[in-house]
């Protein structure tokens, strides 16, 4: 696996959407390539931050109402 292939599969890797064989191939590359490992860590951290910061709050009722007016 080269760096371009690894980077292209990182989002699916982070989300565990790859087969076991693909996961192992990406992990092997990450273990031997510090730049790709850094990119993986950054993407993983960003996804965790978004999930933590945005996953629990509901939109304010005023915003929900405005969206309903616009969409319907």
């Amino acid at each position: 696996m080269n760096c371009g292939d690894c980077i292209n599969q990182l989002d699916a890797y982070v989300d565990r959407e790859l087969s076991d064989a693909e996961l192992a191939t990406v992990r092997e590359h990450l273990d031997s390539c510090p730049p790709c490992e850094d990119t993986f860590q950054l993407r993983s951290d960003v996804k965790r931050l978004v999930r933590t910061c945005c996953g629990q709050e509901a939109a304010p009722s005023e915003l929900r109402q405005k969206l309903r007016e616009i969409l319907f």
Side-chain angles (χ1 to χ4, degrees):
M1 168 171 280
N2 63 43
C3 293
D5 292 338
C6 182
I7 297 300
N8 287 337
Q9 291 188 358
L10 278 184
D11 287 327
Y13 179 83
V14 170
D15 295 335
R16 301 292 188 237
E17 296 173 346
L18 299 175
S19 70
D20 289 343
E22 291 168 321
L23 287 169
T25 301
V26 173
R27 181 75 259 163
E28 184 179 319
H29 180 84
L30 294 175
D31 288 343
S32 65
C33 183
C36 286
E37 175 67 25
D38 290 345
T39 301
F40 161 69
Q41 288 299 327
L42 177 63
R43 287 189 186 186
S44 181
D45 291 347
V46 167
K47 284 187 177 232
R48 187 177 332 125
L49 181 62
V50 168
R51 188 173 34 255
T52 300
C53 292
C54 301
Q56 308 222 351
E57 294 183 30
S61 60
E62 299 85 21
L63 175 59
R64 289 194 310 266
Q65 181 58 37
K66 286 181 183 179
L67 288 173
R68 282 188 198 106
E69 292 170 6
I70 292 170
L71 296 174
F72 303 107

